[in-house]
Amino acid sequence: MSTRLLHPSFQNGIRKGGGENAGGILTCKCSDRPVKVKVSGGIAHNHACGCTKCWKPQGAAFSVVAVAPSENVSVIENSDKLVVVDRSALIQRHACGACGTHMHGPVEREHAFQGLSFIHPELLDNNSWPEPGFAAFVSSIIEAGVDPSEMEGIRATFKDLGLEPYDCLSPALMDYLATWTAKKNGVLHQ
Amino acid sequence: MSTRLLHPSFQNGIRKGGGENAGGILTCKCSDRPVKVKVSGGIAHNHACGCTKCWKPQGAAFSVVAVAPSENVSVIENSDKLVVVDRSALIQRHACGACGTHMHGPVEREHAFQGLSFIHPELLDNNSWPEPGFAAFVSSIIEAGVDPSEMEGIRATFKDLGLEPYDCLSPALMDYLATWTAKKNGVLHQ
């Protein structure tokens, strides 16, 4: 059996981020008129994601995805090629209609993540972005066709890589979401 | 600051199950005409749960909840006191309308858990039920008013108790849910 490709950027170990984390230009996979998106500032919460909606490189079971403030994200070339994958989704994923690469995904509705845009840092024109910190929605890769018998090995590989695997988001982010909900519902007041 | 009550049944350590696991009679908290539910057979997947919908003993942040095949669960006394808490919920939680205790919660709609009923084994008339195996929906207790600053300590306490804390269900159950969805969608065929 061939080895499951988790993601090309960390298949053979995590490359530590350059530390600068100053954003850059995201470019889609088109050779003709590629879409370019400028991220003017650092990214945060970079992680591997197994959800069925995140864009993944060819053959990979996981995406690598992070957030930036939406005000720091702007399409600078060939915006006419962008289409929204699913307008009903929380994350408004804007994909290149030609090559399919997801270029930016703002959260616009009222939500703990409102004002953030999800981007794939591997599309940046530099390697100064921080490495992923955990793996989210790991069990979801079964819904994309990974055999359940592979899951034990995949979770073990993530732990070996130093990426703690979760079937939702990380505890810190899950607590953040719950805190937002508690405040919205008047349960917490600070 | 007083110590957070997680659940009376494991606050001072996990009591190992008696091993027989043969079900028994669940009784609500009413002194007058208590509702009684018979579970004729073993329970499975017993766990602590922090979700906001599960019934919890007075002052506890977590419930203890398990499943049994619905065909093994029957109301044997005072069924007229039972009310369904939320008909739109996946789990049709039947509570005693007088004392509020949740007595059984069948999953009736098409779902990976269809045919199972959620019950609280602490209501059984014997101690032969298996101990909880993990803690689910831990971050959700914030939505019930637990201060986010307590979460790190609560997760550490669960680990000390031997109950791995998760913010959704356990990896085994999350894989089970994803496998069911993958089969339903025709992604997996076995």
Side-chain angles (χ1 to χ4, degrees), chain A residues 51-67:
Chain A
C51 90
T52 54
K53 293 193 167 182
C54 262
W55 174 80
K56 300 165 188 75
Q58 183 69 35
F62 287 83
S63 75
V64 169
V65 67
V67 294

Side-chain angles (χ1 to χ4, degrees), chain A residues 139 145 148 151 155 167 171 175 179, chain B residues 139 148 151 155 167 171 175 179 187:
Chain A
S139 62
M151 296 306 292
R155 289 192 176 92
D167 298 317
D175 286 359
T179 301
Chain B
S139 62
M151 297 306 293
R155 289 192 177 90
D167 298 316
D175 286 359
T179 301
V187 174

Side-chain angles (χ1 to χ4, degrees), chain A residues 138-148 151-152 155 164 166-172 174-182 185 187-188 190, chain B residues 138-148 151-152 155 164 166-172 174-182 185 187-188 190:
Chain A
V138 171
S139 62
S140 298
I141 64 173
I142 295 171
E143 295 179 43
V146 172
D147 195 274
M151 296 306 292
E152 187 176 342
R155 289 192 176 92
E164 191 65 25
Y166 303 108
D167 298 317
C168 43
L169 289 169
S170 66
M174 293 301 286
D175 286 359
Y176 178 82
L177 289 171
T179 301
W180 185 86
T181 301
N185 292 341
V187 174
L188 286 179
Q190 80 275 33
Chain B
V138 172
S139 62
S140 298
I141 64 173
I142 295 172
E143 294 179 43
V146 172
D147 195 275
M151 297 306 293
E152 188 176 342
R155 289 192 177 90
E164 191 66 24
Y166 302 107
D167 298 316
C168 44
L169 290 169
S170 67
M174 292 301 286
D175 286 359
Y176 179 80
L177 289 171
T179 301
W180 184 87
T181 301
N185 292 341
V187 174
L188 287 178
Q190 82 275 32

